Structures are given as C-alpha cells and as structure tokens.
Amino acid sequence: MSELATYVTLGFRHITDVAAMDHILFLFALAAIYRLRDWQDALWVVSAFTVGHSVTLALAATGALVLPTRLIEFLIPVTIVATCVENLVVRDRRRTIWGGHYRPVFAGVFGLVHGAGFANYLRSLFVDRIALPLFGFNAGIELGQLVVLALAAAALAVLDRLLALAATRPGVGVLRLRVVAVSAAVALVAARWAAERSPF
Amino acid sequence: MAALVATLALLAAHPLHTTLTQLTYRDADRSVEVMVRGFADDFRAALGEDVTDSAASAYVRSGVTIADRTGRPLPAAWCGLKRTGDVLWLCLRARAPLGPRGLRLRVALLFDRYADQINIVQASYDGRRAALLFTRGDALKPLP
C-alpha cells in the first residue's frame, strides 16, 4: 500500500467508525432537512463543512494555529446542538435570510471547529512529515463523509416511510415530523456530550 | 427512542486509537530499528498508570513481530522508552542479515484494548519509502 493510500484509509476508517459518532451525527443533523431531490443543496452544505474543517485541520496540524483541545472538544457537540436548533426553529427557509441559502456558511464555520478536533492528533504523531499524512487523512475523511451522507439519506428515507405510516394528524408533513424527530434526538445526545466535555 | 439516545451518548469520546511506527533499515550493520509512537494515555490503559521501561519493553516485544523474507522471526532487542508531551516513543532493534526486501512485520499493539485500533508503519530502506497499515486480525505483512 502506498503511503498516501495508507493515510486515506486512516481518514476513511476514522470517520466511518462508530467512535466518530459526533461527526457522524453532525452530518446527520445537517442532512435531516433535505429530501432526496434536494441532494444538490445537501452537497453544498457538506462541501462547505469540508472546506471549513480542511482549513483548521491544516492550520492546526502544521502548528500555525494552536487551539485548546478541551475547548474544541466542547465546541464540537455545541455545533451539533446549534444545527439541531436551527432545524427545529426554521420552518420555512424561503422566508429566512438569503432565502435559506445561509446554511453552507454556518456549515463552513462549524467545520472550522470540527477540523481542529482532528489536528492535535495528527500533529502529535506525525511530527516530522505532516504534509502527506494531512492530505491523505483529509481525503479519506471526505470520502468517508460521502458514504455517511449516502447512508443518512437511506436512513432518512426509511424513517419517512415509518412516519408516513404512523402519522395520524392531517396537515402535518412527513418531512417536518422527520426534522423534529431527528433533530430532537440528536440535540439530546449532543447536549449530553457538551455537558460532559464542558471546560467551565 | 430514549434507548437510542442513551446508546449514542455513550459513544461520545471520539478517540483516535492509532500508533505510528517508523522502521529504518541501516545498511552499515544490517539491522532494522523500529520506533513506535503512541499516545501515553493509550499505553497507560494497557499497562497501568505507571508505564515502566520493563513493562513497555515486554509489551512492545510481544506486540511487534519482525521476520525475514523466509518467515523466520528476528529476535528484537529493546532500545528504550522516551516521552515527549502526550506521546511515548518505544524502540526495538533487530539484526536483519538478509536485508530489508521482503522483511515481514506485524504491529499488533493495543488490539487487545481497542477494537478500532489502527497501527501504521512507515518504512525507509534502499532510498525508498513504504507504508503498511494494521488492524485487528491482520497477519505478518511483507515490505514491498
């Protein structure tokens, strides 16, 4: 296996492992508001998240930016809770700022936080040659995110079916039920993580 | 739903269980040096709070296997432990009279502790570099 492939594998395995549940749930929360036909919007948001975490991963892993680990570990679940709150509060995105197209911006900003979460690890182990591990690890993370997104889309489609069967009240859309159910559950999990990781 | 939330919440730690091993072949005395870097916390979890030189030596020698191209294990000698920040550096050396090509390696450190453990090897020999990746259940792998 080439060195690059080794680090791509490392990043891919990391993001697709259940131990990376905080990043997986963040992607799940981001994707929760989209239908399959909105895949382009979802891809924009996830791409913005990718750009954000690539920037801080590179800056922090090379030592250009030093971030306190405990604060970052606390902020990661906070970004998940914030995403869930946005999902719950905004009911009609067309009537919000920029017609709802602000989501890639906040996904990018939250990506900055998540990228910093990986950086200390890379900097500690790859002390002498960081460029290739950094590039490969990041590429593996991106590939893994696409897999997570595809699985999230499938899981949300199944959930929609179940909610459609269970929905008894007319006028309440399945999408809204799904957004509320997923966002509330993910927010609860992330709030508990935030409380456990609080540096204050 | 409550059970799902509780289960997911238990997965919060988001640890990265990885070691990085640098294998260097030295032509002058036909030997290989294996330098393992790993997080001190991970080794403390495996060896106890006080990671002593003798405990680390025994653990690394049992977890790292070096064999020549015929599959014959090469006896490895402990060459020390040092710590920088959160990282432990653990060193082994072995004579490799047949040279580096086809040398086989297995790094099984911490597999007994973490199901998601990944051990990476960066090898430098004959002016080239190669990498190997080990997960739980992997056998000896030859250098390309």
Side-chain angles (χ1 to χ4, degrees), chain A residues 7 14 19 23 121 125 193 197, chain B residues 9 12 14 16 18 37 122 131:
Chain A
Y7 299 121
H14 174 62
H23 298 291
Y121 151 79
L125 281 187
W193 290 342
R197 301 178 189 183
Chain B
H14 191 195
L16 289 144
T18 306
R37 288 179 213 162
Q122 291 177 331

Side-chain angles (χ1 to χ4, degrees), chain B residues 1-7:
Chain B
M1 180 65 87
L4 179 63
V5 168
T7 306

Side-chain angles (χ1 to χ4, degrees), chain B residues 90-139:
Chain B
L90 311 136
C91 175
L92 287 179
R93 271 198 203 109
R95 298 259 302 134
L98 298 183
R101 290 207 179 262
L103 204 68
R104 296 173 191 203
L105 200 71
R106 178 172 181 254
V107 178
L109 297 169
L110 300 168
F111 287 158
D112 52 338
R113 195 77 203 173
Y114 304 115
D116 62 336
Q117 178 71 32
I118 296 176
N119 297 318
I120 293 174
V121 177
Q122 291 177 331
S124 305
Y125 58 98
D126 292 349
R128 60 185 292 193
R129 297 180 65 95
L132 302 172
L133 185 144
F134 291 91
T135 57
R136 190 185 272 194
D138 284 346

Side-chain angles (χ1 to χ4, degrees), chain B residues 35-106:
Chain B
M35 180 68 80
V36 180
R37 288 179 213 162
F39 289 102
D41 282 354
D42 295 344
F43 283 103
R44 273 200 294 267
L47 298 172
E49 266 313 298
D50 185 21
V51 180
T52 61
D53 196 81
S54 61
S57 163
Y59 187 70
V60 172
R61 289 164 77 176
S62 69
V64 176
T65 309
I66 311 167
D68 65 19
R69 70 177 76 125
T70 68
R72 186 176 62 92
L74 303 176
W78 177 244
C79 45
L81 157 74
K82 69 171 180 174
R83 179 172 180 158
T84 56
D86 299 334
V87 175
L88 290 183
W89 302 59
L90 311 136
C91 175
L92 287 179
R93 271 198 203 109
R95 298 259 302 134
L98 298 183
R101 290 207 179 262
L103 204 68
R104 296 173 191 203
L105 200 71
R106 178 172 181 254

Side-chain angles (χ1 to χ4, degrees), chain A residues 1-3 5-7 9-10 13-15 17-23 25 73 76 117-118 120-122 124-129 133 137 181-182 184-186 188-189 192-193 196-197, chain B residues 1 4-20 22 37-39 84 86-89 115-123 129-133 135-136 141 144:
Chain A
M1 185 182 276
S2 74
E3 275 194 275
T6 299
Y7 299 121
T9 305
L10 182 66
R13 290 185 69 114
H14 174 62
I15 200 72
D17 192 280
V18 289
M21 191 52 74
D22 47 5
H23 298 291
L25 281 192
E73 290 301 314
I76 286 172
F118 300 125
N120 286 341
Y121 151 79
L122 282 180
S124 297
L125 281 187
F126 300 96
V127 286
D128 40 9
R129 257 173 17 108
F137 186 79
V182 170
V186 172
L188 276 176
V189 173
R192 177 172 160 176
W193 290 342
E196 288 171 354
R197 301 178 189 183
Chain B
M1 180 65 87
L4 179 63
V5 168
T7 306
L8 291 174
L10 292 175
L11 298 169
H14 191 195
L16 289 144
H17 296 124
T18 306
T19 65
L20 175 70
Q22 287 192 310
R37 288 179 213 162
F39 289 102
T84 56
D86 299 334
V87 175
L88 290 183
W89 302 59
D116 62 336
Q117 178 71 32
I118 296 176
N119 297 318
I120 293 174
V121 177
Q122 291 177 331
R129 297 180 65 95
L132 302 172
L133 185 144
T135 57
R136 190 185 272 194
K141 293 184 179 182

Side-chain angles (χ1 to χ4, degrees), chain B residues 19-41:
Chain B
T19 65
L20 175 70
T21 297
Q22 287 192 310
L23 182 148
T24 312
Y25 179 74
R26 298 195 305 192
D27 217 11
D29 58 355
R30 301 178 79 79
S31 69
V32 288
E33 182 180 280
V34 171
M35 180 68 80
V36 180
R37 288 179 213 162
F39 289 102
D41 282 354

